[in-house]
């Protein structure tokens, strides 16, 4: 079943208003959830929406709280998310980082006590739409072991870098520092498929691509083994340290993935050097990468986030494929 | 054979002066090369020194050129490396980013037409010694295939994030975005050992930990497969785009790893929020990670860059282990 973007967005908006959000906050958050599904990030669009509504019902999320500036010094600011909606808080803080970049060339906003931002790429794209490089990161619950350890003490802390392009199809890295999300592992397990590359260790410490063994062991792999383990920790310390917010360890003590810390950096290439240069080399890099000798005959090489734009175009034309169970849940709310 | 830090540094300084560097530039660069060996990064200390001297002899490096400011806007500046020595240029630009962070909370310096910085971590540590978070990245020659491709079109573009600690033993990620450096692959091959985790693909496209097969195929693996491939490209575009410098593609056309682009960001945690907070959560995170259940009984969990400090303490006490061939080459220069 496929549902038009406007219909999905409208339903989210209706439910959010029913949950008590102001019209403005309902619109911003509904749009972000619907855009995530539109771009093919279903796990952080429709499929996650019911859980977020549950968090509102449980009082984990303060529906009308918005992020506010605690203090700042020049291009660096510290904001309090006040436990409000993660997507609108994150969008506001990246918007503020872009304003600071307009004033200082670069701007940095550290945000504490906010909630899950859903798809981090949404804020990278927001900065890029405003002509800036967008860099952001968030911490999470502890969901991976540190390298050399067995118990989950580090987060898969997503990291985003977006480079603006003239046509709006921005060049964007949007990655968690685990090789796979548990959602991907679960899906492969249900589909009875092996993961395309090793995703972690089984209970006996053997590296494996078998999602069933990973689901049992809960030992998913950081990207690049010890390297991703270190990435996870520095991203946590950057976001929590600069915002004076919760670390992954603190979120683990809460026991639910709420009250996170995030960092937003925007850089304005127009403020320094040739403003067209970055766009030109981005296009030239895309062309160069795509001209690689493909691994398999006729194979395509995609630039970062390209597949999401292909999905977006398809979903705009043909409607967004929805998981009927989740869609029915939202319609019944 | 082990050689004292001061002896190594003195020899480097002597040779650099003979090559025509000013006393000041010789001192700065000799110290950086010697510190890299001191910290156990032999590949970018003594072992790389002869190749850099060869690049000077060939005229690739302008011995007395220094980095100069092209232009800037607030906290964002663009510098020209003037094809000077990579280590002193990089140190100067991170120092400038720290000055900007003192003025604006965050500072960013993009550097073009510089040369190989040796160990990127040296500049992260420099920022951290000055009380700042240090983030930096460089581009390189094309030395990996993009994800889905077979020919080398992306760089292993190192990425560094350093978090300052009170005792000077800073928490630092210092990683190339390839799983292994070719130097590591070569060493394992010579030692007749398998790599501890898969490092790339053999000629037939099978994933392998066999260094001999990797050496033949030249298909090393980005960290996290497709994720590291995307990281490589965004780091290249950030460094080259903001500095208006060469991309990995451009360096490939030169054919030698010179005239690189680099980016240096410093953030001053003291300018925003509780200045002691970041140090406190860093220490607490280290303690928490080290208390993990170890993978193997009695196993240690290290924090990022800790092993390098253990090596440093040993090398300060007992002298730096030197490759006798390289050491003899330097002494004969």
């Amino acid at each position: 079943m496929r549902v038009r973007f406007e219909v999905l967005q409208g339903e989210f908006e209706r439910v959010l208003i029913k949950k008590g959000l102001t019209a403005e906050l309902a619109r911003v958050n509904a749009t972000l959830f619907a855009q995530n599904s539109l771009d093919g990030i279903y796990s952080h669009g429709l499929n996650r929406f019911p859980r977020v509504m549950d968090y509102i019902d449980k009082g984990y999320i303060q529906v009308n709280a918005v992020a506010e500036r605690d203090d700042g010094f020049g291009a660096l600011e510290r904001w309090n998310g006040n436990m409000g909606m993660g997507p609108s808080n994150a969008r506001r803080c990246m918007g503020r980082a872009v304003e600071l970049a307009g004033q200082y060339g670069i701007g940095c906003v550290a945000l504490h006590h906010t909630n899950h931002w859903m798809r981090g790429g949404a804020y990278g794209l927001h900065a890029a739409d405003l002509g800036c490089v967008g860099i952001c990161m968030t911490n999470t619950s502890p969901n991976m072991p540190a390298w050399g350890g067995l118990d989950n003490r580090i987060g898969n802390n997503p990291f985003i870098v977006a480079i603006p392009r003239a046509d709006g199809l921005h060049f964007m890295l949007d990655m968690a520092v685990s090789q796979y999300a548990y959602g991907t592992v679960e899906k492969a397990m249900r589909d009875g498929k092996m993961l395309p590359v090793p995703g972690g260790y089984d209970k006996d410490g053997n590296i494996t691509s078998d999602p069933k063994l990973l689901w049992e062991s809960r030992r998913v792999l950081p990207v690049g083994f010890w390297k991703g383990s270190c990435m996870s920790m520095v991203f946590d310390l950057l976001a929590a340290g600069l915002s004076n917010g919760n670390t992954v360890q603190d979120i683990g003590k809460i026991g639910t993935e709420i009250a996170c810390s995030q960092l937003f950096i925007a850089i304005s290439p127009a403020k320094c050097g040739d403003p067209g240069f970055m766009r030109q080399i981005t296009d030239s890099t895309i062309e160069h990468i795509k001209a690689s000798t493909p691994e398999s005959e006729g194979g395509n090489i995609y630039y970062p986030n390209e597949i999401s734009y292909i999905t977006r175009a398809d979903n705009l034309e043909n409607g967004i494929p929805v998981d009927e169970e989740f869609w029915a849940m939202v319609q019944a709310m």
Side-chain angles (χ1 to χ4, degrees), chain A:
Chain A
M1 185 181 180
R2 299 182 76 140
V3 174
R4 296 211 64 79
F5 173 76
E6 296 73 19
V7 175
L8 204 61
Q9 185 188 27
E11 272 298 278
F12 292 153
E13 206 167 330
R14 179 188 64 74
V15 175
L16 288 169
I17 285 170
K18 207 165 159 188
K19 295 283 176 195
L21 274 76
T22 62
E24 169 64 13
L25 276 177
R27 191 190 53 76
V28 171
N29 286 288
T31 304
L32 285 163
F33 274 101
Q35 281 172 341
N36 294 351
S37 274
L38 180 69
D39 281 8
I41 319 298
Y42 309 112
S43 60
H44 291 87
L46 171 63
N47 302 5
R48 185 80 170 220
F49 189 82
R51 199 199 300 181
V52 176
M53 296 310 99
D54 180 49
Y55 280 19
I56 290 176
D57 294 343
K58 286 181 169 147
Y60 296 165
I61 298 173
Q62 304 306 312
V63 285
N64 283 315
V66 294
E68 291 173 312
R69 185 177 178 283
D70 274 342
D71 64 1
F73 178 88
L76 175 64
E77 292 189 348
R78 202 163 64 83
W79 285 56
N80 183 347
N82 289 311
M83 294 303 289
M85 288 289 289
S88 48
N89 273 355
R91 189 179 156 91
R92 174 76 188 93
C93 287
M94 183 56 97
R96 179 59 188 156
V98 168
E99 283 170 22
L100 290 167
Q103 218 175 330
Y104 300 104
I106 183 169
C108 179
V109 174
L111 174 65
H112 64 95
H113 287 89
T114 191
N115 286 305
H116 197 305
W117 67 11
M118 299 301 121
R119 175 197 189 194
Y123 318 104
L125 294 180
H126 183 44
D129 282 341
L130 299 168
C132 279
V133 166
I135 302 173
C136 51
M137 59 197 74
T138 185
N139 61 12
T140 66
S141 291
N143 52 24
M144 281 198 301
W147 188 249
L150 285 173
D151 46 337
N152 286 348
R153 295 187 178 226
I154 65 175
N156 68 351
N157 308 344
F159 173 56
I160 291 91
V161 181
I163 314 274
R165 292 182 68 215
D167 59 5
L169 304 180
H170 310 302
F171 195 97
M172 184 168 70
L173 167 75
D174 178 1
M175 63 180 274
V177 300
S178 56
Q179 188 64 55
Y180 293 106
Y182 275 107
T184 310
V185 174
E186 194 185 6
K187 192 175 180 307
M189 186 168 63
R190 277 191 318 207
D191 297 350
K193 284 185 182 159
M194 294 295 271
L195 296 164
V197 299
Y201 293 90
D202 66 18
K203 278 185 175 171
D204 304 320
N206 303 307
I207 197 161
T208 182
S209 300
D210 185 334
K212 242 170 46 194
L213 299 178
L214 278 178
W215 193 256
E216 282 166 22
S217 71
R218 311 301 284 184
R219 274 187 73 194
V220 297
L221 196 62
V223 288
F225 306 86
W226 53 90
K227 294 188 176 190
S229 174
C230 295
M231 284 175 74
S232 165
M233 291 185 260
V234 295
F235 293 159
D236 182 31
L237 293 176
L238 284 179
L242 294 168
S243 71
N244 291 8
N246 287 325
T247 58
V248 167
Q249 184 186 354
D250 296 325
I251 299 169
K253 283 178 197 154
I254 300 171
T256 306
E257 198 170 77
I258 56 171
C260 305
S261 303
Q262 298 172 351
L263 190 72
F264 303 88
I265 297 174
I267 309 175
S268 174
K271 294 295 181 188
C272 199
D274 173 358
F277 187 84
M278 199 164 206
R279 289 182 170 179
Q280 177 200 315
I281 63 163
T282 303
D283 290 345
S284 147
T285 295
I286 290 175
E287 200 180 317
H288 184 61
I289 295 304
K290 287 192 160 290
S292 297
T293 309
E295 201 182 354
S296 47
E297 212 182 289
N300 256 323
I301 289 100
Y302 296 99
Y303 71 84
N305 214 45
E306 183 177 7
I307 292 172
S308 158
Y309 302 129
I310 296 169
T311 307
R312 183 194 293 177
D314 179 33
N315 287 354
L316 272 176
E317 195 175 324
N318 303 306
I320 299 167
V322 296
D323 178 302
E324 301 197 14
E325 197 182 325
F326 287 121
W327 183 228
M329 281 171 76
V330 172
Q331 287 182 303
M333 278 178 180

